[in-house]
Amino acid sequence: MVAAKLSEYNTYRKITKWLLLLLGLFPLENASLFYRFLPYIHLFLNLGTAFGMLGFVRAHITNILVVSKRLGLMVSFLTGSLKIVCMIIYHEDAMKLRSLDKHFNILINNPQFTNMAFDGVTAFRRLSWAVSLLVLLSGTVNVITPIILIIYQQSHHFQPVKYILPYLSIYPWNVEPNGYLYKFHFIFETVATYSLVAITSSIEPLFTLYVIQMIGQLREMSYVMEHLNESNDPESSVRDCINQYTNLVECRNMVQKIFGPIILWQIITNAVILCLGIFQLSQASLTIHIVLVPS
């Protein structure tokens, strides 16, 4: 049982680390110039795609139903951009937070605290992976839909063939159908899609990992304080707990600094997206009612 939980945690941690490395957001000492530049590439991809969708929104601003569908996706890419910006700005804090990981590794290798530290990890892991899977599926659907549409048109000899981008983006410059610029934008938005998937599948789990690791330390301190009478040096144990708690408060402040703006932004935008979703459902219900109940 313990071995299974340890394996789950290590897998969860490794996948999160690999994705962060792919984004250039995992805090490394003496990182190469390319690695330090990597987050800006992903930032450009997300902002560029959001900019294209903004053009679509501006062009169809009078059609609320169409605009509401694009706004949700545009907000997703802006959220991804915000996450990258926060990780870039607070890179030094993220570097310091690696101490949580080191202490937690020591904790889980101590048989006395292993079960205690892993309590609740499975629920966090499943929730994070469910979100990642949904984002991956959603992004893949957006990417393959234009491809399927183009293949369908060509197989049925439709003329002219309508070439659309994954997010129906409209740019200030002319994008000729099936031209080099169209292909460039298609690849650009495809890469941006999976960049967003990587961002969502790494930064949210990173926050979860920090929380799990801090909870583990709190449980450790609680256990030590409850069993002071079993300690050979109670004063030293209390002193260690105080120092550990002080460090934990500093870590909490750093986590709040990094993820606070992201959480606040998501609270606001999720409310907006939820309203847009309800509006779309209401319009769909209205359409069905009109079709089924003719006047």
Side-chain angles (χ1 to χ4, degrees):
M1 186 68 177
V2 174
K5 288 186 176 181
L6 182 60
S7 177
E8 283 182 3
Y9 171 77
N10 285 330
T11 302
Y12 183 57
R13 177 177 168 274
K14 285 178 182 177
I15 291 175
T16 303
K17 180 180 177 180
W18 290 340
L19 290 173
L20 288 170
L21 286 169
L22 182 66
L23 296 168
L25 295 176
F26 187 80
L28 293 177
E29 296 179 1
N30 303 318
S32 65
L33 180 62
F34 173 75
Y35 184 80
R36 292 198 297 270
F37 187 68
L38 199 53
Y40 296 96
I41 296 175
H42 289 280
L43 180 61
F44 176 70
L45 287 168
N46 282 266
L47 287 177
T49 305
F51 176 74
M53 283 187 278
L54 178 62
F56 179 88
V57 169
R58 290 181 60 187
H60 300 84
I61 195 65
T62 55
N63 191 332
I64 300 176
L65 183 59
V66 172
V67 167
S68 64
K69 293 178 181 179
R70 289 301 106 186
L71 274 177
L73 289 169
M74 187 176 74
V75 167
S76 297
F77 280 96
L78 291 175
T79 302
S81 303
L82 176 63
K83 291 173 183 177
I84 293 176
V85 169
C86 287
M87 292 296 292
I88 292 172
I89 292 174
Y90 300 113
H91 174 78
E92 293 299 324
D93 290 318
M95 185 75 74
K96 294 175 183 176
L97 284 170
R98 291 184 63 181
S99 62
L100 287 173
D101 189 58
K102 294 175 182 177
H103 187 93
F104 194 77
N105 285 336
I106 296 171
L107 191 65
I108 60 179
N109 287 312
N110 186 340
Q112 191 175 14
F113 298 109
T114 304
N115 282 325
M116 190 186 306
F118 281 138
D119 187 25
V121 171
T122 302
F124 280 115
R125 178 184 59 84
R126 288 175 179 171
L127 183 60
S128 297
W129 284 6
V131 171
S132 301
L133 181 61
L134 288 173
V135 173
L136 177 61
L137 289 174
S138 175
T140 302
V141 167
N142 281 306
V143 169
I144 66 173
T145 298
I147 298 173
I148 294 173
L149 180 61
I150 292 169
I151 293 172
Y152 178 82
Q153 292 177 90
Q154 290 179 343
S155 63
H156 289 77
H157 308 290
F158 288 172
Q159 293 296 332
V161 176
K162 186 177 181 181
Y163 292 89
I164 62 172
L165 292 169
Y167 298 102
L168 305 177
S169 305
I170 297 178
Y171 296 93
W173 46 87
N174 182 41
V175 180
E176 186 178 345
N178 204 29
Y180 288 111
L181 202 54
Y182 168 81
K183 293 172 183 176
F184 168 78
H185 280 297
F186 195 100
I187 295 171
F188 183 92
E189 292 188 8
T190 300
V191 176
T193 298
Y194 292 104
S195 170
L196 181 62
V197 171
I199 292 167
T200 305
S201 303
S202 60
I203 294 181
E204 270 89 344
L206 179 64
F207 174 75
T208 304
L209 277 174
Y210 287 150
V211 171
I212 290 170
Q213 290 164 359
M214 287 191 288
I215 290 173
Q217 288 198 43
L218 288 171
R219 287 172 176 167
E220 178 193 10
M221 287 185 286
S222 176
Y223 180 88
V224 170
M225 295 301 291
E226 287 176 0
H227 296 81
L228 274 178
N229 56 341
E230 300 174 11
S231 174
N232 295 326
D233 189 356
E235 291 184 6
S236 177
S237 297
V238 172
R239 191 181 305 111
D240 290 342
C241 284
I242 292 172
N243 292 332
Q244 187 176 349
Y245 183 76
T246 302
N247 292 331
L248 205 57
V249 169
E250 292 177 1
C251 291
R252 181 211 61 186
N253 293 338
M254 287 186 282
V255 169
Q256 186 173 338
K257 192 188 300 182
I258 296 171
F259 294 96
I262 298 171
I263 293 172
L264 180 61
W265 167 265
Q266 288 188 309
I267 289 172
I268 297 170
T269 55
N270 285 347
V272 174
I273 291 172
L274 183 61
C275 291
L276 292 174
I278 293 171
F279 173 75
Q280 292 174 40
L281 287 173
S282 67
Q283 293 301 303
S285 301
L286 180 61
T287 303
I288 293 171
H289 179 76
I290 292 172
V291 171
L292 295 179
V293 187
S295 56

mmCIF file of all heavy atoms in Angstrom, residues 55 61 90 110 121 135 138 152 160-161 184 230 245 259 266-267:
data_model
loop_
_atom_site.group_PDB
_atom_site.id
_atom_site.type_symbol
_atom_site.label_atom_id
_atom_site.label_comp_id
_atom_site.label_asym_id
_atom_site.label_seq_id
_atom_site.Cartn_x
_atom_site.Cartn_y
_atom_site.Cartn_z
ATOM 1 N N GLY A 55 -9.229 39.307 -32.701
ATOM 2 C CA GLY A 55 -9.639 39.799 -34.015
ATOM 3 C C GLY A 55 -10.969 39.205 -34.443
ATOM 4 O O GLY A 55 -11.823 39.902 -35.016
ATOM 5 N N ILE A 61 -18.557 41.173 -33.223
ATOM 6 C CA ILE A 61 -18.970 41.711 -31.930
ATOM 7 C C ILE A 61 -20.486 41.823 -31.797
ATOM 8 O O ILE A 61 -21.027 41.797 -30.679
ATOM 9 C CB ILE A 61 -18.306 43.096 -31.690
ATOM 10 C CG1 ILE A 61 -18.420 43.507 -30.217
ATOM 11 C CG2 ILE A 61 -18.893 44.134 -32.621
ATOM 12 C CD1 ILE A 61 -17.672 42.641 -29.261
ATOM 13 N N TYR A 90 8.420 35.566 -10.401
ATOM 14 C CA TYR A 90 8.763 35.029 -9.077
ATOM 15 C C TYR A 90 9.634 33.778 -9.190
ATOM 16 O O TYR A 90 9.475 32.824 -8.422
ATOM 17 C CB TYR A 90 7.479 34.736 -8.300
ATOM 18 C CG TYR A 90 6.621 35.958 -8.096
ATOM 19 C CD1 TYR A 90 5.376 36.075 -8.708
ATOM 20 C CD2 TYR A 90 7.064 37.018 -7.312
ATOM 21 C CE1 TYR A 90 4.591 37.206 -8.530
ATOM 22 C CE2 TYR A 90 6.288 38.151 -7.130
ATOM 23 C CZ TYR A 90 5.053 38.236 -7.743
ATOM 24 O OH TYR A 90 4.284 39.366 -7.568
ATOM 25 N N ASN A 110 10.813 8.233 5.728
ATOM 26 C CA ASN A 110 10.791 7.868 7.145
ATOM 27 C C ASN A 110 9.527 7.047 7.400
ATOM 28 O O ASN A 110 8.418 7.578 7.316
ATOM 29 C CB ASN A 110 10.792 9.129 8.009
ATOM 30 C CG ASN A 110 10.906 8.819 9.494
ATOM 31 O OD1 ASN A 110 10.622 7.706 9.939
ATOM 32 N ND2 ASN A 110 11.319 9.810 10.270
ATOM 33 N N VAL A 121 -3.198 12.362 -1.004
ATOM 34 C CA VAL A 121 -2.449 12.632 -2.237
ATOM 35 C C VAL A 121 -3.186 12.087 -3.457
ATOM 36 O O VAL A 121 -3.231 12.719 -4.519
ATOM 37 C CB VAL A 121 -1.028 12.029 -2.152
ATOM 38 C CG1 VAL A 121 -0.319 12.112 -3.500
ATOM 39 C CG2 VAL A 121 -0.214 12.751 -1.090
ATOM 40 N N VAL A 135 -8.420 19.107 -20.762
ATOM 41 C CA VAL A 135 -7.779 20.179 -21.534
ATOM 42 C C VAL A 135 -7.124 19.611 -22.790
ATOM 43 O O VAL A 135 -7.213 20.197 -23.878
ATOM 44 C CB VAL A 135 -6.738 20.919 -20.666
ATOM 45 C CG1 VAL A 135 -5.939 21.915 -21.506
ATOM 46 C CG2 VAL A 135 -7.419 21.650 -19.519
ATOM 47 N N SER A 138 -9.898 18.700 -25.276
ATOM 48 C CA SER A 138 -10.484 19.916 -25.835
ATOM 49 C C SER A 138 -9.557 20.551 -26.867
ATOM 50 O O SER A 138 -9.989 20.948 -27.959
ATOM 51 C CB SER A 138 -10.776 20.907 -24.705
ATOM 52 O OG SER A 138 -11.244 22.130 -25.209
ATOM 53 N N TYR A 152 -12.914 16.525 -45.620
ATOM 54 C CA TYR A 152 -14.301 16.262 -46.040
ATOM 55 C C TYR A 152 -14.643 17.051 -47.305
ATOM 56 O O TYR A 152 -15.251 16.508 -48.243
ATOM 57 C CB TYR A 152 -15.252 16.631 -44.906
ATOM 58 C CG TYR A 152 -16.712 16.447 -45.254
ATOM 59 C CD1 TYR A 152 -17.314 15.192 -45.171
ATOM 60 C CD2 TYR A 152 -17.485 17.534 -45.681
ATOM 61 C CE1 TYR A 152 -18.652 15.018 -45.495
ATOM 62 C CE2 TYR A 152 -18.821 17.371 -46.010
ATOM 63 C CZ TYR A 152 -19.397 16.110 -45.914
ATOM 64 O OH TYR A 152 -20.719 15.943 -46.252
ATOM 65 N N PRO A 160 -15.141 26.594 -53.692
ATOM 66 C CA PRO A 160 -13.759 26.495 -53.212
ATOM 67 C C PRO A 160 -13.706 25.850 -51.821
ATOM 68 O O PRO A 160 -14.665 25.944 -51.051
ATOM 69 C CB PRO A 160 -13.318 27.956 -53.147
ATOM 70 C CG PRO A 160 -14.585 28.697 -52.836
ATOM 71 C CD PRO A 160 -15.684 27.960 -53.555
ATOM 72 N N VAL A 161 -12.590 25.225 -51.528
ATOM 73 C CA VAL A 161 -12.410 24.609 -50.212
ATOM 74 C C VAL A 161 -12.218 25.712 -49.174
ATOM 75 O O VAL A 161 -11.445 26.649 -49.387
ATOM 76 C CB VAL A 161 -11.190 23.663 -50.208
ATOM 77 C CG1 VAL A 161 -10.949 23.115 -48.806
ATOM 78 C CG2 VAL A 161 -11.406 22.525 -51.198
ATOM 79 N N PHE A 184 1.522 28.570 -41.666
ATOM 80 C CA PHE A 184 2.291 29.049 -40.514
ATOM 81 C C PHE A 184 1.379 29.275 -39.315
ATOM 82 O O PHE A 184 1.684 28.837 -38.194
ATOM 83 C CB PHE A 184 3.015 30.352 -40.869
ATOM 84 C CG PHE A 184 3.591 31.061 -39.666
ATOM 85 C CD1 PHE A 184 4.778 30.633 -39.085
ATOM 86 C CD2 PHE A 184 2.930 32.152 -39.105
ATOM 87 C CE1 PHE A 184 5.300 31.274 -37.968
ATOM 88 C CE2 PHE A 184 3.446 32.798 -37.991
ATOM 89 C CZ PHE A 184 4.631 32.360 -37.423
ATOM 90 N N GLU A 230 7.762 11.295 24.488
ATOM 91 C CA GLU A 230 8.555 10.163 24.017
ATOM 92 C C GLU A 230 9.919 10.604 23.483
ATOM 93 O O GLU A 230 10.749 9.763 23.128
ATOM 94 C CB GLU A 230 7.793 9.418 22.912
ATOM 95 C CG GLU A 230 6.443 8.872 23.370
ATOM 96 C CD GLU A 230 5.658 8.274 22.219
ATOM 97 O OE1 GLU A 230 6.263 8.111 21.124
ATOM 98 O OE2 GLU A 230 4.464 7.967 22.395
ATOM 99 N N TYR A 245 8.257 25.684 11.451
ATOM 100 C CA TYR A 245 7.022 26.433 11.208
ATOM 101 C C TYR A 245 7.333 27.817 10.632
ATOM 102 O O TYR A 245 6.619 28.301 9.742
ATOM 103 C CB TYR A 245 6.227 26.581 12.505
ATOM 104 C CG TYR A 245 4.906 27.288 12.314
ATOM 105 C CD1 TYR A 245 3.825 26.636 11.734
ATOM 106 C CD2 TYR A 245 4.747 28.623 12.690
ATOM 107 C CE1 TYR A 245 2.615 27.281 11.541
ATOM 108 C CE2 TYR A 245 3.544 29.281 12.501
ATOM 109 C CZ TYR A 245 2.484 28.600 11.924
ATOM 110 O OH TYR A 245 1.295 29.249 11.728
ATOM 111 N N PHE A 259 1.029 32.280 -6.781
ATOM 112 C CA PHE A 259 -0.247 31.772 -7.279
ATOM 113 C C PHE A 259 -1.440 32.660 -6.936
ATOM 114 O O PHE A 259 -2.533 32.434 -7.467
ATOM 115 C CB PHE A 259 -0.490 30.359 -6.730
ATOM 116 C CG PHE A 259 0.489 29.341 -7.240
ATOM 117 C CD1 PHE A 259 1.609 29.000 -6.499
ATOM 118 C CD2 PHE A 259 0.301 28.741 -8.470
ATOM 119 C CE1 PHE A 259 2.520 28.065 -6.962
ATOM 120 C CE2 PHE A 259 1.203 27.803 -8.949
ATOM 121 C CZ PHE A 259 2.317 27.468 -8.193
ATOM 122 N N GLN A 266 -8.508 33.560 -12.047
ATOM 123 C CA GLN A 266 -9.356 32.426 -12.409
ATOM 124 C C GLN A 266 -10.725 32.499 -11.738
ATOM 125 O O GLN A 266 -11.724 32.075 -12.324
ATOM 126 C CB GLN A 266 -8.655 31.110 -12.065
ATOM 127 C CG GLN A 266 -7.490 30.796 -12.997
ATOM 128 C CD GLN A 266 -6.917 29.409 -12.780
ATOM 129 O OE1 GLN A 266 -6.608 29.027 -11.656
ATOM 130 N NE2 GLN A 266 -6.759 28.660 -13.842
ATOM 131 N N ILE A 267 -10.766 33.013 -10.527
ATOM 132 C CA ILE A 267 -12.064 33.181 -9.858
ATOM 133 C C ILE A 267 -12.955 34.117 -10.673
ATOM 134 O O ILE A 267 -14.140 33.842 -10.901
ATOM 135 C CB ILE A 267 -11.868 33.731 -8.427
ATOM 136 C CG1 ILE A 267 -11.254 32.658 -7.524
ATOM 137 C CG2 ILE A 267 -13.198 34.204 -7.846
ATOM 138 C CD1 ILE A 267 -10.852 33.172 -6.156
#
